[in-house]
């Protein structure tokens, strides 16, 4: 007799159903993929604002006197550079130098760090960090304690300003602060995964519906729309932001993915350091590049990249770009074939269709 796995639901699941969102499984969760349509939601974030329920993301907290040594050992970036309230993008790596996950490291205090991790990797990351913990530090999966909303777009600040006394204008990119949103205690961060300005709100799930509805009360006139994971994917692709399981995985290193800046070999010992230094010295064999299709077809994830009829690489992400009105994608190709302007074919079902390497990010917001 077959057993069906029960999908997890965020505290706003009922709200999404009431809004008639198209729901689907994602990383073990039943999540909204779209509400009014991916293109409309995508353009709302680029021109006004969008609100995402991303409560499926994982939160891991590390506390204790040796929190920093543990963070330094399991991540590739240098967390010793962080000040209280500052955030850092980093790699959680295997001994081979490939990705366990890509994460955000928040420093609250010298003895308290907060990690935001990918939903599909929460349990794996938690177990991996615990396995490496030979330090005077405590590791806790605190994901159930948080709803996480992302308010993104050029009008995000003006909308959120109406519900908080926090000095949002004074918040720098990749920083956080604590304050109240509509009278509810929250962690407010300014990172983003769309290529636009915006804020993330972490707070008790008990107040999920209140804050969601209040944001729409004050933001609807400014064009705020609910946005699903479909547009989240097209937005991050335009901004060339990596997605675990696509651009990065247990088979890719930061050098190959163009994430050199998250590796700080000078900080001391960390997991994966030796293989990364060896690869840096020997040189990489493959490189992540941006592609633009020259016709109407879309280069879907997993499609083969061909040169003179031979398979030389694979597409990791591909989509129609609603803002740029082009078909774009990311792919791994041999490093000697990675120059901008290089022409390839993409195997689209039974056709070989032309594409060229272009510079990335495909989209950069005007500040």
């Amino acid at each position: 007799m077959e057993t069906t796995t029960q999908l997890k639901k965020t505290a706003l699941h009922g709200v999404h159903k009431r809004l008639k969102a198209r729901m689907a499984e994602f990383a073990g969760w039943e999540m909204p993929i779209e509400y009014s349509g991916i293109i409309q939601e995508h353009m709302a974030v680029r021109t006004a604002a969008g609100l995402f329920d991303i409560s499926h993301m994982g939160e891991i907290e590390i506390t204790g006197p040796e929190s920093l040594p543990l963070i330094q050992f399991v991540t590739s970036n240098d967390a010793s550079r962080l000040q209280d309230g500052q955030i850092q993008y980093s790699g959680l790596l295997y001994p081979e130098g490939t990705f366990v996950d890509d994460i955000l490291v928040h420093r609250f205090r010298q003895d308290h760090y907060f990690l935001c991790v990918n939903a599909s990797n929460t349990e794996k990351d938690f177990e991996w960090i615990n396995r490496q913990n030979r330090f005077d530090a405590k590791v806790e999966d605190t994901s159930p304690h948080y709803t996480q909303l992302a308010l993104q777009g050029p009008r995000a600040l003006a909308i959120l300003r109406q519900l908080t006394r926090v000095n949002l204008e004074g918040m720098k990119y990749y920083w956080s602060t604590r304050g109240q949103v509509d009278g509810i205690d929250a962690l407010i961060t300014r990172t983003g995964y769309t290529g636009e300005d915006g804020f993330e709100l972490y707070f008790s799930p008990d107040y999920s519906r209140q804050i969601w509805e209040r944001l729409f009360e004050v933001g609807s006139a400014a064009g705020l729309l609910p946005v699903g994971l479909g547009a989240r994917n097209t937005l991050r692709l335009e901004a060339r932001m990596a997605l675990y399981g696509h651009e990065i995985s247990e088979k890719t290193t930061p050098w190959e993915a163009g994430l050199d800046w998250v590796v700080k070999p000078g900080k001391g010992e960390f997991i994966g350091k030796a293989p990364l230094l060896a690869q840096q010295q020997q040189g990489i064999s493959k490189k992540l590049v941006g592609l633009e299709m020259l016709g109407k077809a879309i280069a879907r994830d997993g499609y083969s990249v061909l040169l003179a009829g031979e398979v030389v690489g694979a597409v990791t992400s591909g989509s129609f770009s609603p803002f740029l009105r082009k078909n774009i994608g990311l792919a791994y190709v041999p490093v000697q074939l990675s120059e901008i302007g290089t022409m390839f074919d993409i195997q689209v079902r039974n056709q070989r269709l032309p594409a060229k390497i272009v510079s990335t990010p495909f989209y950069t917001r005007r500040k």
Side-chain angles (χ1 to χ4, degrees), residues 235-248:
L235 288 158
R236 70 90 192 167
L237 177 57
E238 285 183 346
R240 199 198 187 273
M241 293 180 172
L243 176 62
Y244 188 87
H246 293 250
E247 288 68 49
I248 56 176

Side-chain angles (χ1 to χ4, degrees), residues 184-199:
I184 304 305
D185 292 336
L187 171 68
I188 305 171
T189 67
R190 195 173 196 174
T191 60
Y193 190 57
T194 63
E196 295 298 334
D197 187 22
F199 302 87

Side-chain angles (χ1 to χ4, degrees), residues 95-147:
E96 297 78 15
T98 59
F99 283 93
V100 179
D101 202 3
D102 62 328
I103 64 175
L104 292 180
V105 178
H106 305 61
R107 171 173 160 149
F108 291 163
R109 300 187 308 269
Q110 63 179 0
D111 61 351
H112 190 178
Y113 289 81
F114 176 94
L115 312 182
C116 180
V117 305
N118 283 300
S120 59
N121 293 334
T122 303
E123 291 181 14
K124 179 183 71 172
D125 293 359
F126 176 66
E127 291 172 3
W128 177 255
I129 295 170
N130 258 321
R131 211 178 308 158
Q132 317 307 321
N133 187 10
R134 304 177 186 89
F135 303 88
D136 186 6
K138 182 180 180 182
V139 183
E140 294 181 273
D141 179 358
T142 56
S143 305
H145 300 168
Y146 296 101
T147 279

Side-chain angles (χ1 to χ4, degrees), residues 145-206:
H145 300 168
Y146 296 101
T147 279
Q148 186 187 163
L149 301 182
L151 179 64
Q152 298 280 297
R155 297 177 187 167
L157 189 151
I159 292 169
L160 185 56
R161 186 197 287 131
Q162 298 175 71
L163 296 181
T164 183
R165 294 182 179 178
V166 169
N167 177 16
L168 300 175
E169 290 87 348
M171 281 187 69
K172 296 179 183 177
Y173 190 50
Y174 267 66
W175 284 76
S176 71
T177 189
R178 291 188 182 276
Q180 290 197 330
V181 177
D182 197 38
I184 304 305
D185 292 336
L187 171 68
I188 305 171
T189 67
R190 195 173 196 174
T191 60
Y193 190 57
T194 63
E196 295 298 334
D197 187 22
F199 302 87
E200 297 76 43
L201 309 175
Y202 298 80
F203 53 88
S204 168
D206 295 342

Side-chain angles (χ1 to χ4, degrees), residues 68-79 88 90-93 103 105 115 128-129 262-264 267-271:
L68 179 58
L70 174 57
I71 293 284
Q72 291 288 72
F73 183 61
V74 298
T75 66
S76 60
N77 211 330
D78 187 359
Q88 182 181 78
S90 192
L92 194 64
L93 303 182
I103 64 175
V105 178
L115 312 182
W128 177 255
I129 295 170
V262 306
V263 181
K264 301 295 189 297
K267 73 169 183 172
E269 196 54 43
F270 62 91
I271 297 172

